[in-house]
Amino acid sequence: MICSQGFTIIYKECLKVKRIFKSNTSPTASKLDGLAIVDIKKMKTNFQVSCFLLCNSGADLPADAKPILDRVFHTTLSPCTPLEIALGSTVVTYAVTALLNMGRLKDTVNSLTFLACSFHSMLQARKAADLLPFFYSKGMNNPVCNAQLAFDTECFKIGEACGLQLVDLLTDCNSEHGTSYANLREYSLAPEPHNVQKAAPQDIKYCYYEEELLLMVFIHSLAKILSIDSPVITGTIHFYQAALQTDAFTSDQNLGSLQVGHKDLVRFGAKFPA
C-alpha cells in the first residue's frame, strides 16, 4: 500500500493476509498530467516501509520480501511501524499547506450564485488582481466561507451559553454595509468596498494573523470556562501558533490563566440561569 492513510490500523481485523506492507509516501516525486499521464520528476532516495506483524520499531523487513521490494523500488527502504507510517510527515505537508492556501483555490462549477459570478468576472478583469490578490475575493472562496461559518457557529454556541443573542456572520456583514447578499461568497466577491485597493497580506506578521490569534485564544478560553467544545477554533489556533512559532495560550488573552470564572463573566454581560 502506498500512502494508505492508516489502512493497516483501520482494517487489520478485516483482512486475511499474511503481511501488509505500507509506505509513508510515494516512491517518486510526480504529478498527474491530465487523466492518463504521470510526470515523474525524480525517484526518491529513501522512504519508510512498515510490515504488519513486525511492529517493533527498528525491526528489519522480512528476508524473503527484501529482494522483491529492492527490485521494485531501487532505493533505500527504512523499516518502521504502521503507527509511525500513519503519523508520518506526508499528512502534515499536504494538509497544512492545503489548509493555509484554501483561499487560492478556484470556485467549483455551479458553486456561485449569478450575482457572485458577475462580481467574479468583473474582478478578474481588473489589472490589480493579477499583481496582488484581493483579500476578500481571492481569500474567501466557498471552502473558506464554509470554515468561517463553522467557526461562527461555535462562537454562537458560546454566546448562547452566556445567555447572549449573537448575530450570525452574514447578517452582521450585511448590516455593517447596508447590503443584502445571499451568502458570504457573494459578499466577498462584491467589487466594493473590500475589493478596491486592499490586497491580501504578504507577511505572516501581518495584523490579521497576530491580532486575530490573540482574539481566538480569548474565545477559546471562554469556551473552556463554559465547558463548550470548540474544535474549529482550537484547531485554527494551533495552526496559527505553528505558523507564527509562538505560544499564544500563555498570553493575557487566556482567561484561564487569569482565573476568570462564571461570576466574572456575569460582570461583563453574561446571563446564566439562577
Side-chain angles (χ1 to χ4, degrees):
M1 304 296 297
I2 304 295
C3 305
S4 52
Q5 289 82 43
F7 181 89
T8 302
I9 298 170
I10 297 171
Y11 296 108
K12 66 180 179 60
E13 299 298 336
C14 305
L15 300 175
K16 304 298 181 181
V17 295
K18 182 178 180 180
R19 296 167 179 158
I20 302 175
F21 292 91
K22 287 179 72 263
S23 75
N24 68 321
T25 185
S26 168
T28 65
S30 56
K31 296 293 182 183
L32 184 63
D33 185 5
L35 298 177
I37 300 175
V38 177
D39 179 15
I40 298 178
K41 293 177 284 187
K42 66 174 294 185
M43 298 294 295
K44 295 180 179 177
T45 57
N46 182 290
F47 61 92
Q48 294 179 317
V49 176
S50 70
C51 177
F52 181 59
L53 297 183
L54 292 176
C55 293
N56 295 325
S57 182
D60 202 359
L61 298 171
D64 59 338
K66 290 180 66 176
I68 300 174
L69 294 172
D70 289 339
R71 187 167 64 250
V72 172
F73 296 115
H74 302 285
T75 190
T76 302
L77 304 179
S78 300
C80 66
T81 68
L83 185 57
E84 288 173 315
I85 291 287
L87 299 174
S89 63
T90 300
V91 66
V92 177
T93 301
Y94 296 140
V96 174
T97 304
L99 173 69
L100 297 180
N101 286 274
M102 283 194 300
R104 298 181 183 273
L105 301 175
K106 292 182 178 180
D107 294 292
T108 56
V109 178
N110 299 324
S111 66
L112 301 180
T113 62
F114 178 81
L115 180 60
C117 189
S118 65
F119 286 159
H120 186 273
S121 298
M122 186 185 304
L123 292 170
Q124 286 295 102
R126 292 182 175 179
K127 291 184 179 181
D130 295 329
L131 301 176
L132 293 175
F134 292 108
F135 185 73
Y136 281 76
S137 65
K138 288 294 186 181
M140 283 177 58
N141 61 5
N142 276 319
V144 173
C145 289
N146 291 338
Q148 289 176 333
L149 290 173
F151 193 113
D152 190 48
T153 297
E154 291 184 358
C155 290
F156 215 85
K157 291 180 179 178
I158 295 170
E160 288 182 337
C162 289
L164 306 176
Q165 295 296 318
L166 301 183
V167 177
D168 66 87
L169 180 59
L170 178 61
T171 300
D172 190 45
C173 291
N174 277 324
S175 177
E176 283 186 357
H177 300 286
T179 53
S180 56
Y181 295 118
N183 54 49
L184 287 174
R185 191 53 178 144
E186 279 192 2
Y187 169 77
S188 68
L189 280 168
E192 294 184 27
H194 300 299
N195 297 305
V196 179
Q197 295 176 319
K198 194 68 174 181
Q202 299 298 303
D203 191 326
I204 194 65
K205 296 295 184 179
Y206 196 77
C207 63
Y208 286 0
Y209 297 112
E210 292 189 327
E211 294 179 9
E212 298 303 319
L213 173 59
L214 295 177
L215 178 57
M216 287 189 291
V217 168
F218 174 86
I219 297 171
H220 171 268
S221 62
L222 180 57
K224 291 194 68 175
I225 292 172
L226 299 166
S227 300
I228 295 176
D229 290 331
S230 55
V232 176
I233 296 171
T234 304
T236 306
I237 291 172
H238 285 298
F239 276 116
Y240 266 58
Q241 289 191 138
L244 290 164
Q245 295 185 314
T246 187
D247 182 7
F249 287 113
T250 60
S251 72
D252 291 340
Q253 300 295 116
N254 188 342
L255 298 179
S257 64
L258 301 177
Q259 298 183 340
V260 173
H262 282 68
K263 291 183 178 180
D264 300 293
L265 297 179
V266 170
R267 292 175 54 206
F268 298 104
K271 304 173 183 176
F272 301 111

